[in-house]
Amino acid sequence: MNVEETAGSIRRMEIRGAGQIARAAAEALKQIAVEHRESDLEGLRRKLTEGREALLSSRPTAVSLWNAVQWVLRGTDEIREVGELRETIIRRADEFVTRSRTAVERIGVIGARRIRDGDRLLTHCNSSAALSVIRKAHREGKKVEVIATESRPWRQGLITVRQLADEGIPVTLIVDSAVRWVMRGIDAVLVGADTITSNGVVINKIGTSLIALAADEARVPFMVCAETYKFSPRTMFGELVEIEERDRTEVVRPGEIPDEVDVLNPVFDATSPEYIDSIITEIGLMSPYSSYEIIVRELGHEFLFEDSLTE
Ligand code: RI2
């Protein structure tokens, strides 16, 4: 897939999931470098800049996409030789993809230690990081049972139940509005994240914040599973996270309701840190209030500072 095709697939949600879109973006930038056979440095730079714009505009909310693009391209303006630029892009993209995959596995190892034999877990949407924890606990021999929300309107919960059922993990599908009803019997909630802000707010699939409220009311631990590249350096500099809104046709079929009725289809919502017991990352389990430190230590404060203020 070239960069335009990748951006299109991300926009249409054929490639989806915050981690997956980040890896796809890194691969697409790598592809530009691999295919650039000419000795023209400026030509490669131009293609990379166009690729960057196409990828960043494909979906606005998940900072994983932005972080992946920055990871691959950072500092490459200084490079004066086409071969070196190609190699750098290819190496960085490979590095990002490997780190990302390893991170999801490590989250599984760390998170599984918090799961007890016999736990009944609730998850929302389809998060590879959250499922990594559940899978690891299951593979360690713990008997876990999962309640998975449907996650309207895209119904990513169907992907979740298929993936869990494939592994022999007992799973029950519920409609989103059944969350509060089932919460009393739940031992822990595990969700993913698209973006985590510097003040510890988790942006994830629409409905996540309602689940957090229901968990809080029932005193059920609410855990977020997220790689460190889901933390947003941009929010440190005052930027608000843009919440994607998608087309009405994802919610109602044409003609089903009068055309003059508006349909609001926000894709994500915001969960405040006071509802979050812990965030499980590849470098450890932490409080959402450690967000600022993660951004500074893991994502490189100085370079981010410059980039975030000049854009
Ligand atoms: P992983 C998804 O977004 C969901 O909101 C999910 O919780 C989040 O990405 C993280 O997924 P969408 O692309 O990176 O379905 O953990 O809108 O797989």
Side-chain angles (χ1 to χ4, degrees), residues 167-201:
E167 298 231 13
I169 301 172
V171 57
T172 304
L173 182 73
I174 57 166
V175 293
D176 301 318
S177 44
V179 162
R180 188 163 177 248
W181 179 252
V182 302
M183 192 57 83
R184 277 176 206 284
I186 299 294
D187 296 297
V189 175
L190 294 168
V191 297
D194 290 80
T195 292
I196 302 172
T197 69
S198 60
N199 55 343
V201 174

Side-chain angles (χ1 to χ4, degrees), residues 16-19 59 125-129 156 193-194 204-205 230 268:
R16 55 145 297 280
R59 285 195 80 188
C125 194
N126 177 252
S127 157
S128 41
Q156 290 96 327
D194 290 80
N204 191 48
K205 183 58 53 196
K230 309 270 179 74
F268 304 102

Side-chain angles (χ1 to χ4, degrees), residues 29-72:
L29 292 172
K30 173 181 168 179
Q31 200 56 31
I32 294 175
V34 168
E35 282 169 11
H36 189 83
R37 293 268 154 222
E38 307 87 63
S39 56
D40 165 20
L41 176 72
E42 285 317 309
L44 177 53
R45 267 200 215 296
R46 203 171 40 251
K47 287 185 208 164
L48 289 169
T49 305
E50 286 165 8
R52 175 183 190 277
E53 296 315 311
L55 291 165
L56 292 183
S57 62
S58 61
R59 285 195 80 188
T61 303
V63 77
S64 51
L65 181 64
W66 191 85
N67 279 336
V69 169
Q70 290 294 101
W71 179 283
V72 176

